[in-house]
Amino acid sequence: MTARIAFPPSNFYFRPVLYFDHNATSPMHPAAKETWSEAVDRYIGNPSSPHRVGDRADKALNEAREKLADLLGCHPQDIVWTSGATEANNLVIHHAAVSKAEFATFWTSGIEHPSVMEPMRHHFPKRNLFMPPDEDGALSIDKLKASLARRRPAILGLMASNNETGVVQPWQDALKACRENNVEFFCDATQWLGKRPADGLGKCDFVSGSAHKFGGPRGVGFLKCPEGKIEPLLRGGSQEEGRRAGTENVPGVLAMMSALELRESQLAKGEHPSRVKWRDDFIDSILEKLAGAELVGADADRMWNTVSVLMPQTDCQQRWVVKLDKAGFAVTTGSACASGKEEPSHVLTAMGHAPKDAGRVLRFSSGWETTEADWLDMLAGVLKVNEEMEAIAEPAA
């Protein structure tokens, strides 16, 4: 299987596109698609219905709950099914705003996903703290411990890995520090799951995840939370033990677990080290052949699928993306949820990059089905586009 995506004939674009935007969304894996299709026909009932058809759907949900709990290392009743990580993140922050004391504070890193930062600003407008990362994009545990020694928040949140840079965050150390200071810990594991083992995440008080980042369907995710201790964001029926109203997406949940179990199997078989080499070879070639290119978070541990590069300066921050897209390569400038904004990436500015530099970042994010040949083709595409832009710029120099 290749990372090239051929659009259907009805689409305006007819040529295959080499897809390097998996951190935004990953194509649905055939195994997950098959599971979803079978579940649509098999589990036609509402899981809350008292008849056998509804009971069959409810049992399927609970079996999936047990599987996810086993992977995370928590109790099955700690799992709440959601529409994705955005809802799960909002649920955590809503819960904190409603259940904690009115003077309680919420801390997170300054590089969190917008689905964490925006609800924090909304619910904790004067009681939030966004902790800056170091220059390589990782939160400093020493600085965190020093801050906790002076004062303590009600909840502290830290993503497992950053969606824009791929830099791995010290969430295990942050969890330990929170335990030592009696602070609840929340981890957005959206970009971690399916790329690194899920085991151990269940020790966190709250963990969010989304299926479409690792080959599951869009519109389904989960929140791991303390059993029975969550103030619902969505109210209505008594689904999910009263923690999240609304009929559960049974086919989506089962397809998500099919994809996640597949990725966990690939990790257990050690299929990812070779992909690290493909990524590193790409980085080395980019830095060697493109004058002015700079790897973001160069000295930090990062996910095997993600490369964030400050590209050579152009007269428009979107020019690289547009030209690569026309050439048949799908990449992005950073977070898909923040696209369309004129402001530079908050992640890059938090790392100390000037706005003019943050505006020329490109993110290349691969998937499990991306091949070594795809990385080489991506490299060739970048170099070709660079040559074209240099040729256009020369007469004006």
Side-chain angles (χ1 to χ4, degrees), residues 278-298:
W278 303 342
R279 179 207 65 188
D280 288 347
D281 288 345
F282 175 82
I283 293 172
D284 291 342
S285 296
I286 287 289
L287 298 182
E288 176 187 351
K289 298 178 180 180
L290 289 188
E294 178 185 345
L295 178 65
V296 176

Side-chain angles (χ1 to χ4, degrees), residues 95-147:
H95 160 78
V98 172
S99 65
K100 304 301 179 183
E102 63 179 21
F103 54 81
T105 58
F106 198 131
W107 295 4
T108 67
S109 75
I111 57 171
E112 297 296 312
H113 190 272
S115 63
V116 170
M117 301 188 79
E118 292 308 313
M120 268 191 65
R121 291 189 178 104
H122 175 76
H123 290 290
F124 293 84
K126 297 181 180 180
R127 295 179 289 130
N128 62 58
L129 174 64
F130 296 104
M131 301 170 287
D134 59 28
E135 62 182 10
D136 280 323
L139 186 69
S140 168
I141 285 297
D142 290 339
K143 291 181 180 179
L144 173 60
K145 289 180 178 179
S147 296

Side-chain angles (χ1 to χ4, degrees), residues 5-125:
I5 299 175
F7 290 100
S10 60
N11 197 286
F12 177 79
Y13 299 98
F14 293 98
R15 66 183 184 280
V17 171
L18 187 56
Y19 189 71
F20 267 80
D21 197 17
H22 287 259
N23 282 10
T25 194
S26 194
M28 195 168 174
H29 192 276
K33 189 180 298 185
E34 181 178 357
T35 298
W36 183 89
S37 180
E38 291 176 355
V40 167
D41 294 331
R42 184 175 183 182
Y43 303 109
I44 61 173
N46 188 317
S48 298
S49 297
H51 45 65
R52 285 179 294 171
V53 178
D55 185 59
R56 187 181 301 125
D58 186 52
K59 286 182 178 179
L61 270 185
N62 287 330
E63 288 175 2
R65 210 183 304 270
E66 290 175 358
K67 290 179 180 179
L68 180 55
D70 184 59
L71 290 175
L72 296 174
C74 64
H75 192 278
Q77 288 306 311
D78 292 347
I79 304 297
V80 176
W81 304 122
T82 69
S83 62
T86 291
E87 181 191 335
N89 293 342
N90 273 264
L91 175 54
V92 174
I93 298 167
H94 164 79
H95 160 78
V98 172
S99 65
K100 304 301 179 183
E102 63 179 21
F103 54 81
T105 58
F106 198 131
W107 295 4
T108 67
S109 75
I111 57 171
E112 297 296 312
H113 190 272
S115 63
V116 170
M117 301 188 79
E118 292 308 313
M120 268 191 65
R121 291 189 178 104
H122 175 76
H123 290 290
F124 293 84

Side-chain angles (χ1 to χ4, degrees), residues 22-23 191 195 279 303-307 364-367 375:
H22 287 259
N23 282 10
Q191 295 294 341
K195 303 182 185 78
R279 179 207 65 188
M303 304 303 282
W304 55 259
N305 78 312
T306 307
V307 178
F364 306 88
S365 54
S366 65
W375 277 106

Side-chain angles (χ1 to χ4, degrees), residues 69-369:
D70 184 59
L71 290 175
L72 296 174
C74 64
H75 192 278
Q77 288 306 311
D78 292 347
I79 304 297
V80 176
W81 304 122
T82 69
S83 62
T86 291
E87 181 191 335
N89 293 342
N90 273 264
L91 175 54
V92 174
I93 298 167
H94 164 79
H95 160 78
V98 172
S99 65
K100 304 301 179 183
E102 63 179 21
F103 54 81
T105 58
F106 198 131
W107 295 4
T108 67
S109 75
I111 57 171
E112 297 296 312
H113 190 272
S115 63
V116 170
M117 301 188 79
E118 292 308 313
M120 268 191 65
R121 291 189 178 104
H122 175 76
H123 290 290
F124 293 84
K126 297 181 180 180
R127 295 179 289 130
N128 62 58
L129 174 64
F130 296 104
M131 301 170 287
D134 59 28
E135 62 182 10
D136 280 323
L139 186 69
S140 168
I141 285 297
D142 290 339
K143 291 181 180 179
L144 173 60
K145 289 180 178 179
S147 296
L148 289 173
R150 294 190 296 270
R151 54 195 176 112
R152 299 173 184 175
I155 299 182
L156 185 145
L158 179 63
M159 60 185 4
S161 59
N162 186 260
N163 52 300
E164 293 191 27
T165 66
V167 172
V168 173
Q169 301 302 309
W171 64 268
Q172 297 98 329
D173 293 332
L175 169 61
K176 183 179 179 181
C178 285
R179 286 287 178 269
E180 293 171 349
N181 289 276
N182 196 30
V183 174
E184 288 188 309
F185 182 71
F186 162 48
C187 184
D188 179 348
T190 305
Q191 295 294 341
W192 178 283
L193 290 165
K195 303 182 185 78
R196 292 201 178 187
D199 185 42
L201 283 167
K203 296 178 182 178
C204 305
D205 297 290
F206 303 93
V207 179
S208 60
S210 197
H212 73 108
K213 303 297 187 179
F214 49 79
R218 297 176 180 86
V220 63
F222 72 91
L223 176 68
K224 183 271 171 184
C225 58
E227 183 179 355
K229 296 180 180 179
I230 194 78
E231 288 290 334
L233 175 65
L234 301 180
R235 295 182 179 273
S238 59
Q239 293 92 345
E240 298 300 296
E241 303 296 328
R243 296 171 294 182
R244 195 270 188 183
T247 302
E248 296 93 341
N249 180 358
V250 178
V253 167
L254 300 187
M256 173 173 66
M257 290 311 304
S258 176
L260 185 56
E261 288 181 310
L262 172 66
R263 301 314 187 194
E264 288 283 330
S265 175
Q266 290 176 294
L267 287 166
K269 293 176 182 177
E271 295 183 15
H272 55 291
S274 59
R275 289 165 171 79
V276 173
K277 184 179 185 304
W278 303 342
R279 179 207 65 188
D280 288 347
D281 288 345
F282 175 82
I283 293 172
D284 291 342
S285 296
I286 287 289
L287 298 182
E288 176 187 351
K289 298 178 180 180
L290 289 188
E294 178 185 345
L295 178 65
V296 176
D299 296 327
D301 181 22
R302 64 170 46 78
M303 304 303 282
W304 55 259
N305 78 312
T306 307
V307 178
S308 182
V309 180
L310 292 173
M311 302 300 285
Q313 186 67 52
T314 65
D315 57 2
C316 175
Q317 67 177 33
Q318 293 289 333
R319 195 173 184 189
W320 274 102
V321 173
V322 171
K323 285 191 170 294
L324 284 169
D325 184 42
K326 289 182 178 179
F329 302 93
V331 301
T332 188
T333 56
S335 171
C337 293
S339 63
K341 294 184 177 180
E342 294 183 1
E343 298 86 359
S345 161
H346 71 280
V347 174
L348 273 292
T349 53
M351 292 171 63
H353 292 279
K356 63 181 180 65
D357 292 329
R360 57 190 177 93
V361 67
L362 280 189
R363 183 187 69 187
F364 306 88
S365 54
S366 65
W368 279 102
E369 283 65 58

